[in-house]
Amino acid sequence: MNNARRRARICIAFARQEVAETFGPVADLDAEDRAWRRESLASTFKGYTENRVTGVGADWREALKDAADRGRIDLAEYDGDLTVARDALLHGAIWEFVTTADGMAILDTCAS
């Protein structure tokens, strides 16, 4: 699976989960609430794709490389050492490495 497809699948899964926690089951919503839910889902998906999901990959190494390719992190700060980069990112408590059904995602926990 390429990273664009992986990113889309991961972001929609995160967005669906977040919206489901906010709105509850779709079957319980009236027409107006369903419209709000759809709007919220689109907005939340956009937030994940543009801001919160920093990198994706089959594993944490690929996710770090993806984040670097997207300009979200600078591996040169860590002399290109992926293990040092991961440890530094985790130590900062801003980043979270999340394993999903579609691979690994690095989330920026401060972005909205």
Side-chain angles (χ1 to χ4, degrees), residues 1 6-7 11 13 22 25 30 32 34 41 43 46-48 50 58 62 71-72 74 79 83 87 90 96 102-103 112:
M1 175 182 323
R6 178 175 278 121
R7 182 173 293 101
C11 289
T22 302
D30 61 23
E32 183 178 346
R34 286 181 187 198
L41 184 59
S43 174
K46 183 177 180 181
Y48 275 103
E50 293 180 359
E62 282 186 20
R72 299 295 305 272
D74 183 6
D79 296 325
T83 302
D87 292 346
L90 288 173
E96 185 177 348
D102 294 298
S112 57

Side-chain angles (χ1 to χ4, degrees), residues 39-54:
E39 197 171 302
S40 179
L41 184 59
S43 174
T44 304
F45 174 75
K46 183 177 180 181
Y48 275 103
T49 58
E50 293 180 359
N51 301 312
R52 296 206 53 206
V53 174
T54 301

Side-chain angles (χ1 to χ4, degrees), residues 4-105:
R5 180 176 168 87
R6 178 175 278 121
R7 182 173 293 101
R9 291 175 59 98
I10 288 172
C11 289
I12 195 63
F14 285 144
R16 282 182 177 153
Q17 180 179 350
E18 187 173 317
V19 169
E21 290 170 1
T22 302
F23 287 90
V26 176
D28 294 348
L29 303 176
D30 61 23
E32 183 178 346
D33 287 338
R34 286 181 187 198
W36 279 107
R37 182 189 176 282
R38 278 191 300 277
E39 197 171 302
S40 179
L41 184 59
S43 174
T44 304
F45 174 75
K46 183 177 180 181
Y48 275 103
T49 58
E50 293 180 359
N51 301 312
R52 296 206 53 206
V53 174
T54 301
V56 298
D59 59 23
W60 64 268
R61 288 174 183 84
E62 282 186 20
L64 278 173
K65 289 176 188 173
D66 180 60
D69 291 346
R70 296 182 68 218
R72 299 295 305 272
I73 62 169
D74 183 6
L75 288 178
E77 290 180 28
Y78 312 103
D79 296 325
D81 187 323
L82 297 177
T83 302
V84 171
R86 181 192 64 180
D87 292 346
L89 292 175
L90 288 173
H91 181 71
I94 295 172
W95 310 96
E96 185 177 348
F97 288 72
V98 179
T99 302
T100 72
D102 294 298
M104 177 68 63

